[in-house]
Amino acid sequence: MTALSRREWLLTEAPESRRQAAWGRAYRGWLQFRRNKLAMAGLVTVIVLVLAAVFAPLLTLQDPSTQDLAGRLAPPSAQHWLGTDELGRDLYTRLLYGGRVTLGMVIAVVVLVAPVGLAVGTVAGYAGGLADRVLMRVTDIFLAFPRLILALAFVAALKPGVSSAVFAIALTAWPPYARLARAETLTIRNADFISAVRLTGASAGRIVLRHIAPLCVSSLIVRVTLDMSGIILTAAGLGFLGMGAQPPMPEWGTMIAATRGFILQQWWVPTIPGLAIFAASLAFNLLGDGLRDVLDPKRG
Amino acid sequence: MTAVSEDTSVRRAPPSGRARRGFRLFGAGLGGLGGVIATLFGLILVTFLIGRAMPIDPVIAIVGDHAPPDVIAHVRDQLGLDKPLYVQFAIYVRDLLSGDLGRSVMTSQPVTADIGRYFPATLELATVAIIIAVVLGIPLGVVAAAREGSRFDHAVRVLSLAGQSIPVFVLGLLALLIFYVKLGIAPGTGQVDVAYEGMVPDVTGMLVVDSALAGNWDVFQDALWHLAMPSLILAYFSLSIIARMTRAFMLDALAGEFIVTARAKGLSGMRILWRHGFGNIAVPLITIVALAYAGLLEGAVLTETVFSWPGIGLYLTVSLLNADMNAVLGATLVIGCVYVGLNLLADLAYRLLDPRVK
Amino acid sequence: MEVVVQNLRIAFPSPSGPLEAVRGVSFTLGQEKLAIVGESGSGKSLTARAIMRLLPRAAMLSADALRFDGIDVLNADENAMRRIRGGRAGLVMQDPKYSLNPVMTAGAQIAEAWRAHRGGTRRQAREAAVDLLAQVQIRDPGAVADRYPHQLSGGMGQRVMIAMMLAPDPELLIADEPTSALDATVQAEILRLIEDLVQRRGMGLILISHDLPLVSHFCDRVLVMYAGRVVEECRAGELARAQHPYTRGLLECLPILSEKRRRLAVLRRDPSWAAA
């Protein structure tokens, strides 16, 4: 197929198959998304961040934990592009490896949280009654703590470190997903097509799994993208307070905590990881904002 | 940070669909007093369980590593640690109801007394911050919505997305670097200059208020000056949320047919915008402001650490680093209760002030 | 008061260039009752709202002439337009559920319109509002003035809406499908009320509707719009002799009690009507 005819195939007003319709819808969404410059900037930044994290060993020449006490706190130079930290480690290398830690934590949290939230929300919304009340009460209890504070308490109860931080953030992050999925389910539940499926004898499990959950996914994706920045900030905050990743692991928040005392003289040392957190978090916010316009137009 | 979105409940009929969703986001489920009590109970249970899951032995934490075994056994018995978990929980709740959160190992003071001492500073910081956020954030959101798609609108969008993306501790460090170190126009960390410390009697714990009460205007000025930077930085995050939500609510309200009616009546643009547009979202916005205020408590933990602000956030982090579990759990519980309390207040305000709910 | 509309065009931007929703409409209106009839999307509401320049922000408006009592609506500044809106021309919309401000009492909304054009104290405005509510035949006007829109029935809401638009004593009333959201029994009452008020106050009226027989009883003159154009203009009494096939089609697909029709005709659209 030539490029032109592929475009026509995608944009046709009369798709011949469900697959063509789905692709056409996705392509129209992409065309709309592409016009939003801020969202595109976010998408590009996210891609760059992911690539930099994945290929960190190829993109760097030094080892993130090799110390050089003689050359500590060096300003940026040809050898150390972003200078060195308080133990003489290369900041550029540590920044890239730090991206691995941060993005890894974000992905781990999302993988843990989104399915749980979706399950709790759809079941509560579809079942209604007592199950709904109990599940939503539990959700409310977890919502009643500020996220970072509850995460701090959890991490303190476990042991400071990446896995406890992920677990703690996940424990505090699922309730909004449950709320969202429940709200979506409530609007879908009484739709005619669900009644039709029910009349054909489908079980409640099948209705929730095959017909309701898939329809919640697009708003969930938007929510996840917007939430990523919150997760990044919480993870960095935990690191900054000494409750997240532990040194010598190159995590951005931890790196700031370890070097904040040098802000007066070698200001770039704590500032650079700070800017990295800001850039990553902003990129996900911009991307999520643009995705919402496309996937969730009714909420403008 | 608490993520905020406007999409947590069922869409209702226009013109106030989104505004109502905003209310549901925060107030949902807290169905009356029973709901509040159930939530508080859950809060207590969660903190209790966290405390019991601690790897630290509370007895050792009190008596020290080298205490003789009979002392350890005695204290263990005193604390009820050999009893079943539910009995321990009952004891915990009983103590809590009589205002006993245990004793802090670090300060060797009752945790309630510590919190009473540190909380006012946080209240001071958060209140000034929320005032700044509301006073700036609401007009930004309203005007951005009125000029949807304009350059101003885009600027507000970028400003608020940036505000939700920058970690407060990075912003705090940068602000200290630029305004205190490089430019020398801002005071350093702390609530007041060392020279002024302890000069005014402690009445409310909020230094700005206390110095004003004592009529000591030098201290007052210095305290206000110290308050400026942390509160501005803390305000930025809330300002972003408030501006964004105000804009979203306003767009929804301005799309209403009653806005056409208001225009057809020949009203001025300002009156349409504020009386009819904003008038429709003012009450739901209270919920967002309450949520943002609660979110400040979270930001306060980090801001206070950066600015050595003697509030509950600093107390919490120092206790954490010293594994002072009674203090950590006490502070967590208190912050959780404030959160629930604000939620309840917003709910009440909604019920009392919005004619549609009556 | 005279309204002059010549070659009015209203377009909206779209990905594939501007889309014209109103394409060259012309008419004049004196102190009479004019009906604009057409199906949804025919441009009838936009045409009427253009007189008050109350169009969505994206709308692109142009005309050879658009005058309200000698005032050039196309180029008038916002202050001049505000004196027309409400002051000299009122607009009653379809559904009071949406067109009334949900967080202001009925009385406050009427008083606001009154004060905007006549000044005066809050007290005077409030008294005027109660008086206006009595004029639109609300039985307990004092109590209704203190109610919020969601506490009013559809018919009452529409009376409040009419009272609000009459507050500054306008010379022209534009009623945009004022009864289509109401129960059938209330519809007649509201129409009778509008007719009565227009008669008594000597106002001009533009009644927008999709109900051809209804307007032919009610109005002096009828404009029939199709796809952004006026396809037929005639005196209401002569509607039965209408020329345009669209108008004829609309009339023929209605059941008439006095005549026996075996099968109702179905409107067959001709692309040439839109192209003309």
Side-chain angles (χ1 to χ4, degrees):
Chain A
M1 250 188 288
T2 66
L4 188 69
S5 72
R6 186 177 298 132
R7 190 183 146 88
E8 275 165 3
W9 183 80
L10 284 166
L11 288 179
T12 176
E13 293 291 330
E16 277 156 22
S17 64
R18 278 171 65 180
R19 192 172 60 94
Q20 187 181 358
W23 278 105
R25 207 171 55 233
Y27 184 65
R28 281 196 191 94
W30 165 245
L31 288 181
Q32 191 194 339
F33 182 85
R34 216 171 50 177
R35 278 207 308 274
N36 184 340
K37 280 182 214 137
L38 286 175
M40 281 303 282
L43 179 65
V44 170
T45 313
V46 166
I47 291 173
V48 168
L49 280 171
V50 169
L51 291 180
V54 170
F55 296 109
L58 301 177
L59 295 169
T60 55
L61 299 170
Q62 272 118 343
D63 182 273
S65 47
T66 306
Q67 301 183 6
D68 170 21
L69 288 175
R72 68 199 281 263
L73 299 168
S77 64
Q79 198 199 346
H80 299 290
W81 293 354
L82 295 175
T84 58
D85 71 358
E86 81 282 9
L87 297 173
R89 296 169 294 197
D90 183 53
L91 255 182
Y92 165 72
T93 309
R94 287 181 66 75
L95 204 64
L96 257 53
Y97 279 87
R100 292 186 143 191
V101 178
T102 299
L103 291 178
M105 284 173 83
V106 168
I107 291 166
V109 169
V110 169
V111 166
L112 282 173
V113 158
V116 172
L118 187 64
V120 170
T122 47
V123 168
Y126 190 76
L130 188 66
D132 184 28
R133 282 219 299 284
V134 170
L135 286 173
M136 283 303 111
R137 179 60 59 209
V138 175
T139 313
D140 279 342
I141 291 167
F142 280 88
L143 274 178
F145 283 98
R147 191 191 259 187
L148 179 68
I149 310 253
L150 186 57
L152 275 175
F154 274 126
V155 175
L158 307 164
K159 187 162 107 351
V162 170
S163 48
S164 324
V166 166
F167 183 64
I169 298 174
L171 266 176
T172 59
W174 66 270
Y177 293 88
R179 276 278 186 79
L180 181 62
R182 174 176 177 268
E184 291 278 317
T185 307
L186 285 180
T187 48
I188 301 167
R189 184 174 68 170
N190 296 321
D192 288 342
F193 75 93
I194 294 294
S195 312
V197 177
R198 202 177 296 135
L199 283 175
T200 65
S203 66
R206 187 184 167 87
I207 293 174
V208 169
L209 213 61
R210 292 291 306 267
H211 296 277
I212 291 181
L215 286 173
C216 299
V217 165
S218 75
S219 52
L220 222 58
I221 288 176
V222 172
R223 183 61 209 243
V224 162
T225 323
L226 286 171
D227 223 22
M228 296 256 186
S229 91
I231 297 171
I232 291 174
L233 290 182
T234 310
L238 284 176
F240 179 72
L241 294 174
M243 292 289 142
Q246 297 298 304
M249 189 181 269
E251 195 270 332
W252 295 337
T254 315
M255 283 159 73
I256 298 176
T259 57
R260 60 179 278 210
F262 303 106
I263 186 100
L264 303 187
Q265 280 81 39
Q266 290 82 19
W267 56 267
W268 61 88
V269 181
T271 304
I272 286 168
L275 292 180
I277 300 170
F278 176 53
S281 165
L282 184 62
F284 278 110
N285 264 333
L286 291 174
L287 178 63
D289 211 49
L291 275 182
R292 176 171 49 196
D293 290 347
V294 174
L295 290 179
D296 224 3
K298 61 179 185 286
R299 308 198 209 272
Chain B
M1 300 281 148
T2 316
V4 177
S5 91
E6 56 269 46
D7 46 25
T8 313
S9 190
V10 185
R11 179 156 180 95
R12 308 267 183 94
S16 56
R18 194 198 310 266
R20 287 193 168 207
R21 264 200 322 274
F23 157 66
R24 301 295 301 171
L25 164 78
F26 197 38
L30 269 196
L33 203 60
V36 174
I37 290 171
T39 309
L40 282 179
F41 183 81
L43 261 173
I44 295 166
L45 185 64
V46 170
T47 36
F48 169 77
L49 290 177
I50 292 175
R52 289 304 171 268
M54 292 285 164
I56 307 154
D57 186 337
V59 178
I60 305 288
I62 293 170
V63 298
D65 286 338
H66 309 293
D70 59 315
V71 174
I72 293 179
H74 179 68
V75 173
R76 191 174 295 277
D77 187 49
Q78 229 177 10
L79 293 175
L81 288 175
D82 43 7
K83 299 198 173 70
L85 207 58
Y86 65 90
V87 179
Q88 289 186 37
F89 181 62
I91 295 170
Y92 183 75
V93 173
R94 191 197 64 203
D95 288 350
L96 203 64
L97 290 177
S98 58
D100 183 3
L101 286 169
R103 203 170 270 276
S104 156
V105 179
M106 190 176 57
T107 63
S108 44
Q109 295 282 323
V111 170
T112 17
D114 278 350
I115 289 173
R117 209 146 43 86
Y118 286 107
F119 198 69
T122 300
L123 196 65
E124 183 181 35
L125 187 64
T127 305
V128 172
I130 197 73
I131 291 171
I132 296 171
V134 167
V135 167
L136 294 178
I138 287 181
L140 283 179
V142 168
V143 176
R147 303 195 198 157
E148 190 194 2
S150 70
R151 239 181 243 182
F152 182 85
D153 184 25
H154 284 299
V156 170
R157 182 188 266 231
V158 172
L159 182 87
S160 62
L161 282 176
Q164 283 174 56
S165 307
I166 191 154
V168 280
F169 55 92
V170 172
L171 199 59
L173 285 173
L174 288 178
L176 273 178
L177 171 70
I178 295 168
F179 296 106
Y180 173 54
V181 180
K182 298 279 178 202
L183 301 177
I185 53 172
T189 56
Q191 213 176 2
V192 73
D193 201 274
V194 190
Y196 290 123
E197 242 165 57
M199 273 181 63
V200 292
D202 191 7
V203 184
T204 61
M206 291 177 266
L207 199 57
V208 172
V209 180
D210 285 350
S211 57
L213 285 178
N216 192 332
W217 300 111
D218 288 342
V219 177
F220 175 76
Q221 210 183 351
D222 190 68
L224 204 59
W225 198 224
H226 273 79
L227 187 57
M229 202 152 65
S231 55
L232 273 171
I233 284 165
L234 197 49
Y236 186 27
F237 182 73
S238 314
L239 185 155
S240 320
I241 295 175
I242 291 174
R244 221 170 119 94
M245 298 302 279
T246 305
R247 176 185 179 275
F249 284 4
M250 274 303 277
L251 283 180
D252 215 37
L254 290 178
E257 280 277 280
F258 60 90
I259 294 294
V260 180
T261 306
R263 286 175 69 202
K265 280 154 86 169
L267 304 178
S268 71
M270 283 306 250
R271 192 172 170 91
I272 294 170
L273 195 61
W274 287 98
R275 181 77 172 94
H276 290 267
F278 186 71
N280 261 275
I281 67 162
V283 177
L285 261 188
I286 291 175
T287 308
I288 299 300
V289 172
L291 173 68
Y293 190 67
L296 285 175
L297 293 173
E298 193 173 43
V301 174
L302 294 160
T303 313
E304 288 174 6
T305 309
V306 172
F307 286 93
S308 309
W309 191 266
I312 194 157
L314 191 64
Y315 179 68
L316 178 65
T317 42
V318 172
S319 310
L320 265 173
L321 293 176
N322 289 292
D324 187 353
M325 279 333 289
N326 279 340
V328 170
L329 295 181
T332 307
L333 192 60
V334 165
I335 293 174
C337 288
V338 172
Y339 221 68
V340 175
L342 284 167
N343 194 334
L344 183 66
L345 279 181
D347 195 21
L348 281 178
Y350 200 89
R351 276 168 213 274
L352 290 178
L353 297 177
D354 196 316
R356 286 166 292 196
V357 184
K358 271 176 198 157
Chain C
M1 193 271 314
E2 189 192 32
V3 176
V4 177
V5 179
Q6 267 169 33
N7 193 21
L8 174 74
R9 289 174 182 276
I10 301 170
F12 290 91
S14 84
S16 46
L19 276 177
E20 280 207 311
V22 175
R23 307 181 296 156
V25 167
S26 304
F27 63 93
T28 55
L29 172 84
Q31 196 187 333
E32 59 181 324
K33 291 182 282 184
L34 174 76
I36 304 182
V37 184
E39 55 199 55
S40 336
S42 59
K44 55 190 194 303
S45 279
L46 286 171
T47 302
R49 288 182 190 201
I51 298 169
M52 296 169 79
R53 220 167 72 197
L54 279 179
L55 298 173
R57 213 167 18 166
M60 295 174 281
L61 173 67
S62 71
D64 292 348
L66 183 60
R67 282 197 300 275
F68 182 93
D69 202 21
I71 302 164
D72 180 5
V73 171
L74 281 180
N75 300 309
D77 64 22
E78 200 51 30
N79 280 332
M81 281 318 296
R82 274 173 48 204
R83 277 193 295 275
I84 295 178
R85 288 183 200 138
R88 307 190 60 186
L91 172 68
V92 174
M93 284 186 290
Q94 189 170 349
D95 193 343
K97 226 175 16 228
Y98 301 119
S99 52
L100 293 175
N101 186 333
V103 298
M104 282 171 83
T105 60
Q109 296 189 52
I110 300 169
E112 185 186 40
W114 195 82
R115 278 188 89 193
H117 297 278
R118 303 188 159 190
T121 63
R122 273 165 199 280
R123 210 202 178 89
Q124 287 170 325
R126 155 91 194 180
E127 276 163 18
V130 174
D131 182 50
L132 280 157
L133 283 172
Q135 283 186 44
V136 293
Q137 293 158 25
I138 281 178
R139 234 165 283 144
D140 189 358
V144 170
D146 288 329
R147 286 201 206 145
Y148 287 96
H150 70 273
Q151 297 165 318
L152 302 171
S153 68
M156 281 236 263
Q158 205 58 305
R159 284 166 201 267
V160 168
M161 185 80 196
I162 292 168
M164 180 159 59
M165 288 306 161
L166 293 180
D169 214 358
E171 298 142 61
L172 170 68
L173 188 67
I174 298 174
D176 190 349
E177 306 214 25
T179 59
S180 16
L182 306 179
D183 290 341
T185 47
V186 188
Q187 286 186 354
E189 281 174 36
I190 294 291
L191 279 177
R192 219 172 300 133
L193 176 69
I194 291 177
E195 185 169 32
D196 184 48
L197 289 164
V198 166
Q199 215 80 52
R200 239 183 321 143
R201 292 171 170 246
M203 289 187 288
L205 173 73
I206 297 180
L207 179 68
I208 296 166
S209 176
H210 51 255
D211 191 339
L212 205 48
L214 177 108
V215 300
S216 65
H217 288 302
F218 193 79
C219 292
D220 306 322
R221 214 146 52 90
V222 179
L223 293 181
V224 180
M225 287 189 69
Y226 184 81
R229 287 173 191 281
V230 176
V231 293
E232 178 102 45
E233 179 178 356
C234 63
R235 302 217 58 80
E238 295 159 4
L239 199 60
R241 272 170 278 155
Q243 301 293 317
H244 196 274
Y246 175 61
T247 319
R248 294 235 56 89
L250 281 183
L251 289 169
E252 274 158 19
C253 63
L254 291 167
I256 299 177
L257 286 179
S258 57
E259 252 177 65
K260 240 194 168 143
R261 284 185 181 175
R262 201 171 256 187
R263 254 193 129 139
L264 280 178
V266 175
L267 184 65
R268 288 218 176 76
R269 288 158 201 278
D270 187 332
S272 69
W273 301 346

